[in-house]
Structures are given as structure tokens and as C-alpha cells.
Amino acid sequence: MSSEAMTTLDSTVPRLQEVFFAAEPALTKLDEITGDGDFGVNLREGLSEVAGRLAAPDSPAPWDTLRAVFLDEVGGTSGPLFGLLFQSLDTRAARSDSYIDALQAGISDGLAAIQRVGEAEVGDRTMVDALAPAVEALHAGDVGAMVSAAVDGALSTAALRARRGRASYLGERAVGHPDPGAVGVALLLCVLAEPVSGTEASDRERARLLDAVSGSTSGND
């Protein structure tokens, strides 16, 4: 029997698909400038695979499916790192009746796992720059603060010169554009906040994020 937190987490999967499918062109364009150009496509294909599996008879649990697909099927550097975050959230939600408690522990564990594998720190211009401040903000149990901190962290990467990943080879050319992985984490946390705070605040923060991404890439058509 699923815990209350697991049921809530599972309910976010359709919304996550909706948000990332809509953001895919912006994420792809951003990654074409700052990386390999496959980030948005990889997320879209991973979530499409999740949707296909969940549409099958006797499909597995939604979040468990998300975790499995991103750990085992999604290519690129970011896919497995998102998979580690999904796995940490999955594990914590299965053990908790409190969704906020599961978020607090899950994203904290996910951050630790991502840093253990990727060895990135705040300031390296990676998804850690969005995830670490979100973990700190959520210590007080305020999911709105978590989302704002993640968006602020993602946007702060535009001023950073990358020290890890594909963007590290681009030097100053990536400066002025947010890191795609950090943007992806902020979009994820916007969705995960919605069962607690509703869609209005998350929609506002997501628009702030994507407007900045669009502004940074508008001269690169």
C-alpha cells in the first residue's frame, strides 16, 4: 500500500510531463548554445517513454517508472543525475506519510548523490546551483521559498563560467546563459511544490525562469 507522500508524488508525473514537454524547445535551444544540444530532447524522450510504460496494462507505479527510465534509459550526462534525484525522492516518499518531509529528505539525499557522482559544488555552473539553495530553503518547510531559491539559483548560473561539463570547454561563450541542468531542476521543483502551494505561485516562478531563458537566447536564432 502506498504512503500518502508516495501517492502525492505519483500524482505529479502527468504535470511534470506537461511542463517539460512545453519547455523542451527552450531547453534545447539553451543547450545548443551552452552544451551538446541534447538536454531538452533527452528529457522529452525520457518522459515519453514513461508515458508509454504507464499507458500499458498492469503498469508499474508512476514515480518508480520515472526513476527507472531516467536511471537506465535516458542518455546524456543529466539523465542519470536526474534519475538519482528521482530515486532519492522515491525512496523517501515510500517511507513517509508527510509529502513535505519526503521532499525535504528526498531532495537533500538527491543533492548528496549528485555531488557524490558528479563532484560538483555550488558555483560550478551545474544543476547543483539550483538544487543546493532549494534544499537549504526547504529546511523551514516552505515550498514557495524552495521554488524561488531554485529559480534564483538557476538564473545565477548565467553569470558563472563553467568548471564542469560540456560548457566548461566553451569558456566565456556560455556566460550570459543559464545552465540547462539548473533550469531543469528549477522546473522540476516548481511542479513538486504544486500539491502544497497550488499552481499560481509555481506558474509565476516558472514564467520568470523561462522568460529569462528566452531573453538570453533570443539573439542566437
Side-chain angles (χ1 to χ4, degrees):
M1 182 176 180
S2 294
S3 70
E4 182 177 338
M6 193 75 253
T7 299
T8 303
L9 191 62
D10 279 345
S11 74
T12 66
V13 173
R15 177 65 168 160
L16 192 62
Q17 293 166 334
E18 176 187 353
V19 165
F20 274 108
F21 286 165
E24 184 269 322
L27 291 173
T28 294
K29 187 173 182 180
L30 181 62
D31 198 40
E32 286 172 349
I33 297 168
T34 64
D36 293 329
D38 60 355
F39 178 66
V41 173
N42 285 340
L43 288 180
R44 184 193 67 208
E45 291 181 350
L47 288 167
S48 294
E49 175 66 20
V50 170
R53 293 189 187 187
L54 294 180
D58 301 320
S59 63
W63 199 267
D64 189 56
T65 303
L66 185 70
R67 171 200 60 77
V69 167
F70 273 77
L71 279 177
D72 300 333
E73 305 292 337
V74 176
T77 302
S78 296
L81 295 179
F82 271 89
L84 289 173
L85 179 56
F86 296 155
Q87 178 172 260
S88 296
L89 285 161
D90 187 34
T91 299
R92 289 294 189 167
R95 301 173 181 171
S96 178
D97 284 327
S98 167
Y99 179 66
I100 291 181
D101 287 351
L103 280 186
Q104 286 176 319
I107 67 171
S108 180
D109 290 352
L111 171 62
I114 287 167
Q115 289 188 293
R116 186 167 58 249
V117 171
E119 301 182 341
E121 301 291 339
V122 171
D124 283 348
R125 189 187 158 92
T126 71
M127 61 175 61
V128 168
D129 288 292
L131 194 55
V135 168
E136 184 172 350
L138 193 55
H139 282 163
D142 185 343
V143 297
M146 173 192 74
V147 171
S148 294
V151 171
D152 287 344
L155 294 179
S156 76
T157 61
L160 300 174
R161 179 166 177 160
R163 294 197 289 259
R164 295 191 178 275
R166 174 73 174 86
S168 65
Y169 299 105
L170 299 178
E172 296 296 329
R173 284 183 291 166
V175 175
H177 308 285
D179 175 70
V183 172
V185 163
L187 289 173
L188 167 67
L189 295 181
C190 284
V191 173
L192 294 182
E194 289 182 0
V196 178
S197 59
T199 61
E200 184 176 351
S202 288
D203 283 348
R204 185 170 58 249
E205 288 297 308
R206 187 169 61 254
R208 179 166 73 94
L209 177 66
L210 293 177
D211 284 350
V213 168
S214 178
S216 83
T217 60
S218 61
N220 290 270
D221 292 314

